[in-house]
Amino acid sequence: MKWRKEVYKILKDNEKLLDERHRGFVDLINTPLGFDHSKPKKVGKPSDSNNGETQWQRELYYSEPLWYDIELPIGQKQSPKSRWISTRVDMIGELDGRPIICELKKCNKKEDPLDALIQLLAYYSMIKQNAQDLDIWNIHHTNARNREFRWVDIANNPILMLLADEEGYWSYWEKSITEPRKKAFNAMMDACKRSGVEIQIWNEDGLRK
């Protein structure tokens, strides 16, 4: 995948901009985690015990029929204590007949769209690699809106969606984030576009202009 090589080089050239966690995601773009096993149970419902991003995710899922399922394991590694640790994609769905892989952010001033885009591309890379295994294991929640979708279809020409709230996330990005981070973000977006990988930027009202 040409986009992966270009994005990986951009991020390695800008490694000083990244914290340790997101340097790890950079490596996952280039060398995705494999998939071993999982049996998701039920999707939780919105509740007062959730807040912020988790609550918004649940509200979107239960109110918008375009979403198939949420918080699904797509890659795994074993910890030093032999426990399996799963990497999970935020939301999977369909828009205008095309699959969606979505990274969701809300009111997060510890991370910005550069971080979120790195995560989104790492998840895409894992789904591309692991789609057949995800289908073999039938990775869907037991009460998912759509338990029939196939991961090999999700991996085929998806829309990669970065969805975040306008006031708490996008406005902060435009006002407060340094120019080098914005340049790295734009360079990644351009590299993906040249390779035919479509990334859409959304807020709570829809596609962001």
Side-chain angles (χ1 to χ4, degrees):
M1 292 182 281
K2 183 181 177 183
W3 70 267
R4 191 158 67 183
K5 291 182 179 179
E6 288 193 44
V7 164
Y8 187 72
K9 184 178 186 307
I10 291 165
L11 291 169
K12 283 298 183 181
D13 290 344
N14 290 277
E15 197 167 15
K16 63 186 179 184
L17 300 177
L18 308 177
D19 61 22
E20 183 176 351
R21 178 170 182 257
H22 288 92
R23 288 189 190 119
F25 276 112
V26 173
D27 291 334
L28 293 181
I29 292 172
N30 193 52
T31 310
L33 293 176
F35 186 84
D36 186 82
H37 68 282
S38 187
K39 290 186 178 180
K41 296 181 181 179
K42 288 187 175 183
V43 177
K45 292 189 175 182
S47 73
D48 294 337
S49 63
N50 294 327
N51 54 59
E53 186 177 304
T54 300
Q55 178 73 356
W56 191 32
Q57 180 196 53
R58 301 291 194 270
E59 290 171 353
L60 288 171
Y61 174 71
Y62 280 103
S63 64
E64 299 288 346
L66 63 90
W67 300 115
Y68 289 167
D69 209 338
I70 61 176
E71 287 295 326
L72 289 167
I74 54 171
Q76 295 167 317
K77 63 180 179 181
Q78 249 181 324
S79 73
K81 296 182 179 179
S82 297
R83 292 177 56 249
W84 284 99
I85 301 171
S86 294
T87 298
R88 297 174 182 272
V89 64
D90 282 347
M91 306 181 80
I92 293 292
E94 181 183 322
L95 180 66
D96 298 331
R98 287 181 62 191
I100 306 169
I101 300 171
C102 177
E103 173 67 6
L104 184 71
K105 296 293 181 185
K106 183 174 176 64
C107 298
N108 191 334
K109 293 181 172 59
K110 294 181 180 178
E111 298 180 1
D112 62 34
L114 175 60
D115 300 322
L117 183 56
I118 292 169
Q119 289 176 247
L120 180 59
L121 291 173
Y123 299 155
Y124 176 45
S125 195
M126 272 181 267
I127 290 170
K128 290 285 285 185
Q129 174 181 279
N130 298 331
Q132 289 187 349
D133 288 332
L134 294 168
D135 281 333
I136 289 169
W137 278 93
N138 193 31
I139 300 302
H140 312 93
H141 284 98
T142 57
N143 63 338
R145 176 175 286 114
N146 182 343
R147 299 189 70 244
E148 303 301 322
F149 78 82
R150 298 169 67 243
W151 286 96
V152 291
D153 295 331
I154 297 294
N156 182 27
N157 192 32
I159 295 168
L160 305 186
M161 180 186 292
L162 181 49
L163 171 58
D165 61 302
E166 185 64 33
E167 189 61 33
Y169 197 87
W170 294 119
S171 295
Y172 174 73
W173 161 253
E174 291 178 346
K175 295 174 184 176
S176 305
I177 306 304
T178 62
E179 195 61 30
R181 294 184 68 80
K182 290 181 179 178
K183 285 183 178 179
F185 176 87
N186 290 332
M188 290 169 63
M189 292 285 287
D190 290 342
C192 289
K193 186 176 181 179
R194 286 193 297 272
S195 294
V197 176
E198 183 174 354
I199 301 170
Q200 294 187 4
I201 306 299
W202 283 57
N203 62 18
E204 55 267 66
D205 296 322
L207 191 63
R208 194 169 184 267
K209 296 180 180 179

